[in-house]
Amino acid sequence: MKFFARSNLLPHFALLLSMLVWSSTFIGMKFALSAYQPATAMALRMGAASLLCLPFLPRLVRALRDPALRRVLLLGVLCEPCLYFLCETSALRHTSSAQAGMVLALLPLCVAVGARLFLNERMAGRAWFGFALAVGGVVWISLGAEASETSPSPLLGNILEAMAVLCAAGYTLCMRRLSRSIPPLLLTAAMTFAGTLFFSTLSLLPLSVPPVYLDVDIPSWMPLASTLYLGIVATLAGYGFYNFGIARLSAGQAAAYTNLIPVITLFMGVFILNERITPAQYLASALVLAGVMLSQGGHVMKKEHNHA
């Protein structure tokens, strides 16, 4: 068996790239929310991505002739981007980008439970232990959280991010099911169309919330540039790489990579938002990385069905 064969490494490399891109979205969304209403920022983000996905619309329509596939896709896009980003943009108004990224690391456990219940995927004990280490690292990082101008209600924000995690788990399971029949690029296109419709409708409602406070000075063009980055790079590249990886690995293996997000987000916060990391948080970040590596060593098995 050639573990280092290109066919084996490519899905893992794609998932790693998607985590790098997604980690940057927490900071990018903070920039966007400093000038735009949450629904408006998301409508612009999804709209920019959907314009690039328009050429794939005919193929998507043909791929969704099966009513069963349409139902699964509807549930998937409702979970994410619709409800997921609704919760996450609300969370980022109350908590820091680093803390939101930490909470997102709980996603693998949620996906593993869902995959066990709905996809008959069973994680080996080594993988579960890796998940436990990673979650322990996330909790350790979170212990020092304090309220500040940039994070006025961290508990509320982290609860909202936890709700986003549940939505992301539902999306992952649905995309795992759909990836057997629909190419990852078409699934990404479907997500952008649904998000544009959902958030454009929300942006028309007479709702107004105060802008997010930033502890750094940014140029006036940064919120718009960040929104376009979120739509074109983060949405297309992030979800494109993720859907590619999840189509070739188990749902649990793919979701395990999200444990890298809090670590990457912390370091991005240091260099971009001038956030501080204590020595204990560096050690906790190392624990998260160790957990991810260990969880990838566990084998995913299918339950055997007895036929009478």
Side-chain angles (χ1 to χ4, degrees), residues 130-143:
F131 283 149
L133 281 181
V135 172
V138 170
V139 173
W140 189 2
I141 293 173
S142 303
L143 289 178

Side-chain angles (χ1 to χ4, degrees), residues 142-165:
S142 303
L143 289 178
E146 297 180 355
S148 65
E149 286 187 284
T150 58
S151 178
S153 304
L155 179 59
L156 174 59
N158 291 342
I159 290 174
L160 289 169
E161 186 64 27
M163 294 172 62
V165 166

Side-chain angles (χ1 to χ4, degrees), residues 25 83 125 129 134 140 163 174 184 192-193 199 275 277:
T25 64
L83 296 180
F129 183 65
W140 189 2
M163 294 172 62
C174 289
T192 64
F193 297 143
F199 287 104
E275 295 177 348
I277 300 179

